[in-house]
Amino acid sequence: MSDNNIIQNYKMKLLEDLSCEVLISEEEKRSITDLAIFKTFPKGTILLKEGDYTNETYHVISGCIRSYMLIDGSDITTEFYTEFESFSPTCAVNNTPSNCFASSLEDTLVIVSTPEMEDELLSKIPALESLCRKSTERLIARQQQSFERFRSLTPEQRYLHLIETRPDLLQRVPQYHLASFLGIRPESLSRIRKRLAQK
Amino acid sequence: MSDNNIIQNYKMKLLEDLSCEVLISEEEKRSITDLAIFKTFPKGTILLKEGDYTNETYHVISGCIRSYMLIDGSDITTEFYTEFESFSPTCAVNNTPSNCFASSLEDTLVIVSTPEMEDELLSKIPALESLCRKSTERLIARQQQSFERFRSLTPEQRYLHLIETRPDLLQRVPQYHLASFLGIRPESLSRIRKRLAQK
């Protein structure tokens, strides 16, 4: 499917989803789709570097963004953002230089938003405020659970949870990125995979 | 200071802070303070158990709440919530049984809120919507940074960061809870402290 077709499909799906949640007029629908800025990042594009300033949030429509940190020369994956997930760098919220990097692991199509665009949209369609707040609250809960899980599970349990909840990542993401995401070395991930295969 | 005095001071501070951020009338101020439900938990109270359902969020006015998980008999601290921090169990947002426990490490005074109370307040004072959304976004950024830090720092670096950012916890919280919060065993924390003292 071409990017244009994906964008048209996405706009329709977005408006359909929104219509289920809040009452919005045709005019309001137009302000939403008019404001949306789409960007494509070919595979391997660096979207963000440590020290950069940005106020952009990326809502992934297709593809995969990886956020990572370089610590003493080690590349540590902090998150993968795929379809319908949003990558909002902490620096965009805090107005500080970025502490992380981000790049596209695949050709990636996103909607870009900024706090200014958000404010503009929400002042035009106040009914969206409560929807946004609630979706942000759900995002916090999800993030909190990921952190709790990372703290409390063994590497093998983390890997099993990944298989269960994000099986697509196993196909899409190189092993060494998966390993650092799980907080282990690539050799340990290989050992875990072998052990599980023998069971 | 008695709880009543603390509550009065807190209400005044809350309204002062809010007045700086949004224009609110005297009547709106009253709806805020009228709605607020205060609760005190004596030290050692279990606020939440694994499997419980709750829709309550606790905004700490004084004291300390510890959230933790019991994994194969090990008690793993996931967070400490002290003055002006809010403990919103993920189960309250997701409407699922709790995956964690919470208890008060000190006598603790909180404001309790529920989604219904939030909705009621925000429908009365829509100007608060945007304030709430932005504070939730800041909370996400903070949480994201904590997780990134936990993933990417060594235990010693995590401990140094704790000293720098939350020195009060070192006085308030038993060593073994601090150790599990840092993702290490109590013996490892002792070794780190000794090593740093010798520097």
Side-chain angles (χ1 to χ4, degrees):
Chain A
M1 208 165 18
S2 75
D3 273 3
N4 267 343
N5 282 339
I6 296 178
I7 289 175
Q8 280 317 315
N9 283 349
Y10 181 79
K11 280 188 179 178
M12 275 168 58
K13 192 185 170 308
L14 179 71
L15 292 178
E16 225 172 74
D17 288 355
L18 278 176
S19 303
C20 298
E21 302 262 5
V22 281
L23 268 175
I24 45 174
S25 67
E26 288 305 313
E27 198 197 327
E28 287 173 334
K29 282 185 184 176
R30 260 196 308 281
S31 11
I32 294 176
T33 47
D34 285 355
L35 251 181
I37 295 175
F38 294 87
K39 259 194 200 172
T40 49
F41 298 112
K43 178 177 172 173
T45 308
I46 308 267
L47 282 66
L48 181 70
K49 286 206 290 285
E50 194 183 320
D52 281 357
Y53 281 84
T54 185
N55 63 351
E56 296 189 336
T57 289
Y58 305 106
H59 311 276
V60 178
I61 302 177
S62 66
C64 179
I65 295 174
R66 178 176 80 96
S67 65
Y68 57 104
M69 303 176 94
L70 292 181
I71 309 278
D72 299 331
S74 299
D75 173 324
I76 294 162
T77 297
T78 48
E79 195 52 85
F80 301 102
Y81 301 89
T82 56
E83 285 73 18
F84 310 115
E85 296 180 328
S86 297
F87 169 48
S88 185
T90 55
C91 57
V93 178
N94 295 339
N95 204 17
T96 50
S98 175
N99 63 338
C100 73
F101 295 76
S103 70
S104 51
L105 279 185
E106 304 170 0
D107 293 343
T108 299
L109 174 66
V110 300
I111 289 190
V112 181
S113 72
T114 64
E116 291 70 32
M117 285 164 64
E118 243 180 53
D119 287 345
E120 190 186 334
L121 190 63
L122 294 173
S123 72
K124 277 187 188 161
I125 319 173
L128 289 181
E129 272 280 8
S130 139
L131 194 68
C132 283
R133 180 174 51 83
K134 286 183 180 170
S135 101
T136 313
E137 282 170 0
R138 279 195 298 269
L139 185 60
I140 290 194
R142 200 185 120 187
Q143 212 179 47
Q144 196 168 315
Q145 277 189 317
S146 304
F147 194 3
E148 285 168 359
R149 213 174 287 122
F150 191 87
R151 277 179 188 283
S152 57
L153 298 185
T154 64
E156 180 166 324
Q157 290 168 329
R158 284 182 210 152
Y159 178 67
L160 287 170
H161 187 263
L162 192 73
I163 295 177
E164 201 186 307
T165 54
R166 305 190 68 179
D168 62 310
L169 288 185
L170 277 72
Q171 311 301 326
R172 300 169 82 162
V173 169
Q175 289 294 312
Y176 53 97
H177 288 330
L178 280 184
S180 79
F181 178 61
L182 294 168
I184 54 180
R185 280 174 311 189
E187 311 85 84
S188 311
L189 180 54
S190 295
R191 267 198 304 276
I192 289 173
R193 287 165 55 97
K194 260 186 216 143
R195 198 163 53 230
L196 290 172
Q198 284 163 0
K199 271 186 187 170
Chain B
M1 207 165 20
S2 75
D3 274 2
N4 268 342
N5 283 339
I6 295 179
I7 290 175
Q8 279 317 315
N9 283 349
Y10 181 79
K11 280 188 179 177
M12 275 169 57
K13 192 186 169 307
L14 179 71
L15 292 178
E16 225 171 74
D17 288 355
L18 278 177
S19 303
C20 297
E21 303 260 6
V22 280
L23 269 175
I24 44 173
S25 66
E26 288 305 311
E27 199 197 326
E28 287 173 333
K29 284 184 182 176
R30 258 195 310 281
S31 10
I32 295 174
T33 47
D34 284 356
L35 253 181
I37 296 175
F38 294 87
K39 257 193 201 174
T40 48
F41 298 111
K43 180 177 171 172
T45 308
I46 307 267
L47 281 67
L48 182 69
K49 286 205 291 282
E50 194 181 321
D52 281 357
Y53 281 84
T54 184
N55 63 352
E56 296 190 336
T57 289
Y58 305 105
H59 311 276
V60 177
I61 303 177
S62 66
C64 180
I65 295 174
R66 179 175 79 97
S67 64
Y68 57 103
M69 302 177 94
L70 292 182
I71 310 277
D72 298 331
S74 299
D75 173 324
I76 294 163
T77 297
T78 48
E79 196 52 86
F80 300 104
Y81 301 89
T82 56
E83 284 75 16
F84 311 115
E85 295 180 329
S86 296
F87 169 49
S88 184
T90 55
C91 57
V93 177
N94 295 340
N95 204 16
T96 51
S98 176
N99 62 339
C100 72
F101 295 76
S103 71
S104 51
L105 280 184
E106 304 169 1
D107 292 343
T108 299
L109 175 65
V110 300
I111 289 190
V112 181
S113 73
T114 65
E116 291 70 32
M117 286 165 63
E118 244 180 52
D119 287 343
E120 189 186 336
L121 190 62
L122 293 174
S123 71
K124 276 187 189 161
I125 319 175
L128 288 182
E129 271 279 10
S130 139
L131 194 68
C132 282
R133 179 174 51 84
K134 286 183 180 170
S135 99
T136 313
E137 282 169 358
R138 279 195 299 268
L139 185 59
I140 288 195
R142 202 185 117 187
Q143 213 180 45
Q144 196 167 315
Q145 278 190 315
S146 303
F147 194 2
E148 287 168 354
R149 213 174 288 121
F150 191 87
R151 274 180 191 283
S152 57
L153 298 185
T154 63
E156 180 166 323
Q157 288 168 330
R158 284 182 209 150
Y159 178 66
L160 287 170
H161 187 263
L162 191 74
I163 295 179
E164 202 186 305
T165 53
R166 306 190 67 179
D168 62 309
L169 288 184
L170 278 72
Q171 312 301 325
R172 300 170 83 162
V173 170
Q175 289 295 311
Y176 54 96
H177 288 330
L178 281 184
S180 79
F181 178 61
L182 293 168
I184 53 180
R185 281 174 310 192
E187 312 84 84
S188 310
L189 179 55
S190 295
R191 269 199 300 277
I192 290 174
R193 286 165 55 95
K194 261 187 215 143
R195 197 162 54 228
L196 289 171
Q198 285 163 358
K199 273 186 186 170

